[in-house]
Amino acid sequence: MDDLRRIPVPGLDEARSARHERSALPLAALSVLLMGLLTAGWWYEFRAETTHYATAMGERRSVTLADGSRVELNTSTRLAVHWSRWSRKVELESGEALFTVTHDPDHPFVVETGPLCIRDVGTRFDVRKQPENIAIAVLEGEVELEDERDMKTERLKAGDRSVYRETTGLGPKERADAEQIEAWTQGRLVFKHTPLAEVAAELERYHPVRFVFAEPAVGREILSGTFDVGDLDPFLNAVGKILPVRAERSSDSLIVLRRAKGK
């Protein structure tokens, strides 16, 4: 039997070689196809249409996107919209925007700002990016937050608010005050038991002025009220009637708040 195995059979080696080559061909073709699909996907994503939007200080703007989603930009806001056949992505570079999203599970709507990734789950939400933090408030529906630094995720539902800080990451859920959050879209600012220092900082976002407190205690005075975001004078007049504070314009761009005498 061993002798029979050693007898050469004409064409046997060639047939074996051809069989291996034929079996390798489908695998090679499949690899090329997968590589082509991945490359095409990367190319389409790379060539995604990008549109930039911005507002100046005190300006508001409403933009309707290609899918019917709406973005409202608040004062001093910059964002970029990246659109491809597979994804919808908005990069909020600075400022504040209110998103009303047309839900499409096959084309995720994502907002990226700093290390945070915000995924829409059919919703209406506000994102505000400041140098020291990022605040997210959900007015309708639900969003998923992801901190890309530690991959921590969290879901916010309607009525929830969370603040992200670089030092501590995502903060605990808080109650979102829809009236206060949406007021700017109607040209108003609503304050409820807010320290005067925070009120002044908010007004500085809309006007080319700087507030200075003559005494630290003045900044701790508590103010409630609704004010026109575009007109600073009614606020300056009202604050002297509501609080024991006097507002003095040192220059066009500097306002000093000091304790009113006799109050």
Side-chain angles (χ1 to χ4, degrees):
M1 183 65 80
D2 292 338
D3 292 336
L4 287 174
R5 289 175 180 169
R6 286 194 292 270
I7 296 174
V9 178
L12 180 59
D13 291 339
E14 290 80 356
R16 286 173 175 169
S17 177
R19 185 181 64 188
H20 288 309
E21 290 177 2
R22 284 195 300 271
S23 64
L25 280 174
L27 291 176
L30 180 60
S31 298
V32 171
L33 178 61
L34 289 174
M35 182 62 69
L37 290 173
L38 289 173
T39 302
W42 173 85
W43 179 247
Y44 277 117
E45 197 66 26
F46 176 76
R47 296 191 63 191
E49 180 182 350
T50 300
T51 307
H52 297 270
Y53 299 98
T55 54
M57 177 178 284
E59 181 187 6
R60 300 192 313 276
R61 183 178 181 183
S62 182
V63 176
T64 301
L65 304 181
D67 66 339
S69 297
R70 192 171 73 254
V71 183
E72 296 177 73
L73 288 73
N74 200 358
T75 178
S76 303
T77 295
R78 296 198 317 272
L79 58 80
V81 177
H82 307 280
W83 223 255
S84 78
R85 64 174 59 187
W86 289 297
S87 66
R88 304 172 293 168
K89 184 172 71 174
V90 176
E91 182 182 357
L92 179 63
E93 300 169 9
S94 62
E96 181 175 17
L98 180 66
F99 299 88
T100 303
V101 180
T102 299
H103 187 53
D104 181 354
D106 295 326
H107 301 85
F109 191 100
V110 176
V111 177
E112 294 182 350
T113 179
L116 271 187
C117 182
I118 306 163
R119 291 184 180 86
D120 158 66
V121 191
T123 192
R124 187 163 181 260
F125 60 99
D126 184 271
V127 184
R128 176 170 169 175
K129 184 179 183 182
Q130 298 177 280
E132 65 277 8
N133 62 53
I134 302 169
I136 307 97
V138 180
L139 304 176
E140 298 175 13
E142 187 175 345
V143 300
E144 181 182 79
L145 308 179
E146 180 181 319
D147 183 351
E148 294 180 348
R149 297 189 312 173
D150 57 13
M151 305 308 291
K152 178 183 176 182
T153 61
E154 182 176 340
R155 286 207 169 197
L156 299 182
K157 297 182 179 180
D160 289 341
R161 178 179 181 271
S162 184
V163 178
Y164 171 89
R165 293 179 175 83
E166 281 196 16
T167 54
T168 57
L170 283 170
K173 292 181 184 179
E174 305 171 359
R175 186 183 68 83
D177 189 319
E179 182 187 14
Q180 281 185 292
I181 292 166
E182 293 186 271
W184 66 264
T185 64
Q186 297 150 14
R188 298 181 296 112
L189 292 176
V190 176
F191 301 107
K192 298 180 180 180
H193 307 290
T194 307
L196 190 56
E198 293 183 20
V199 174
E202 185 68 8
L203 289 168
E204 287 177 350
R205 295 178 62 212
Y206 298 88
H207 301 275
V209 299
R210 185 167 66 92
F211 287 90
V212 174
F213 293 94
E215 308 164 40
V218 175
R220 294 193 291 269
E221 291 285 346
I222 301 300
L223 178 69
S224 295
T226 300
F227 302 95
D228 183 349
V229 72
D231 194 347
L232 191 59
D233 288 334
F235 166 79
L236 297 178
N237 293 331
V239 73
K241 298 176 182 178
I242 300 172
L243 299 176
V245 173
R246 186 172 75 254
E248 299 176 353
R249 278 190 178 271
S250 178
S251 67
D252 288 343
S253 60
L254 185 65
I255 299 173
V256 178
L257 297 175
R258 62 178 75 251
R259 179 77 62 187
K261 295 180 178 179
K263 289 190 178 181

